[in-house]
Amino acid sequence: MSSNVSVCEMSQEVIDLLKKFKLRKEKNIAAIVLKIDRASLKIVLDEEYNDISVSDLQEELPSQQPRYVCLSYVQNHSDGRVSYPLIFVFISPPGVSPELQMMYAGSKTKAVKDGDFTKVIELRSLEDLTEETILDKLKLFK
């Protein structure tokens, strides 16, 4: 029952941005960082990064605030293939106020659905946002 609870809606601007993001042709790592605007109860754009490493992205994100990260990742396979999975990452660090935590957790399912994501990763710490963690989690989607 709780998976049907949605606290916040995705803004139309973000929905349009994600549609364009999915069709991007660049062959590098990019990210769209989303946050919840508490006044309007909308999921809105926080930052947009093109050609960024995972470690640089980790440094750019707030350490004490939850965020949704839409990540266009470059995955090099052992057989020489390259794929570009689109991943929804929910980062929820410890020490966040219960109200804010509930807003993000309660809105995640709707955000994933609205963004049409099939690969979803939840992280409890910003330090967990690493290449190794992403590659580890991607193995679960095969």
Side-chain angles (χ1 to χ4, degrees):
M1 182 93 171
S2 65
S3 66
N4 294 330
V5 173
S6 177
V7 177
C8 303
E9 297 285 325
M10 202 174 272
S11 73
Q12 189 60 48
E13 171 190 279
V14 168
I15 291 171
D16 295 342
L17 182 62
L18 289 177
K19 285 179 186 173
K20 288 181 192 170
F21 190 65
K22 285 182 169 194
L23 300 173
R24 69 190 292 273
K25 301 290 184 211
E26 292 83 359
K27 307 287 186 208
N28 55 23
I29 297 174
I32 293 175
V33 181
L34 305 174
K35 66 180 181 179
I36 291 179
D37 176 35
R38 293 169 88 164
S40 67
L41 295 180
K42 294 272 186 195
I43 299 170
V44 298
L45 177 65
D46 185 21
E47 293 288 340
E48 193 173 352
Y49 301 101
N50 288 303
D51 197 13
I52 188 168
S53 70
V54 173
S55 58
D56 287 345
L57 178 60
Q58 183 190 56
E59 289 178 23
E60 293 292 330
L61 294 170
S63 61
Q64 299 299 314
Q65 296 288 318
R67 287 295 184 264
Y68 301 132
V69 179
C70 308
L71 184 66
S72 177
Y73 188 69
V74 178
Q75 184 177 14
N76 295 297
H77 299 271
S78 58
D79 62 4
R81 291 177 301 118
V82 179
S83 62
Y84 303 92
L86 194 62
I87 309 162
F88 184 90
V89 183
F90 171 38
I91 303 170
S92 178
V96 175
S97 75
E99 177 191 3
L100 195 57
Q101 179 65 34
M102 288 199 51
M103 288 177 84
Y104 276 86
S107 302
K108 182 192 79 150
T109 302
K110 178 103 170 83
V112 167
K113 185 178 179 227
D114 287 350
D116 198 28
F117 288 95
T118 57
K119 295 173 177 62
V120 180
I121 298 173
E122 289 191 36
L123 302 176
R124 288 287 168 210
S125 167
L126 199 53
E127 289 75 38
D128 292 338
L129 182 61
T130 63
E131 295 268 351
E132 293 78 20
T133 302
I134 291 170
L135 290 171
D136 241 21
K137 299 285 186 181
L138 282 174
K139 291 176 189 173
L140 302 173
F141 296 108
K142 294 189 176 183

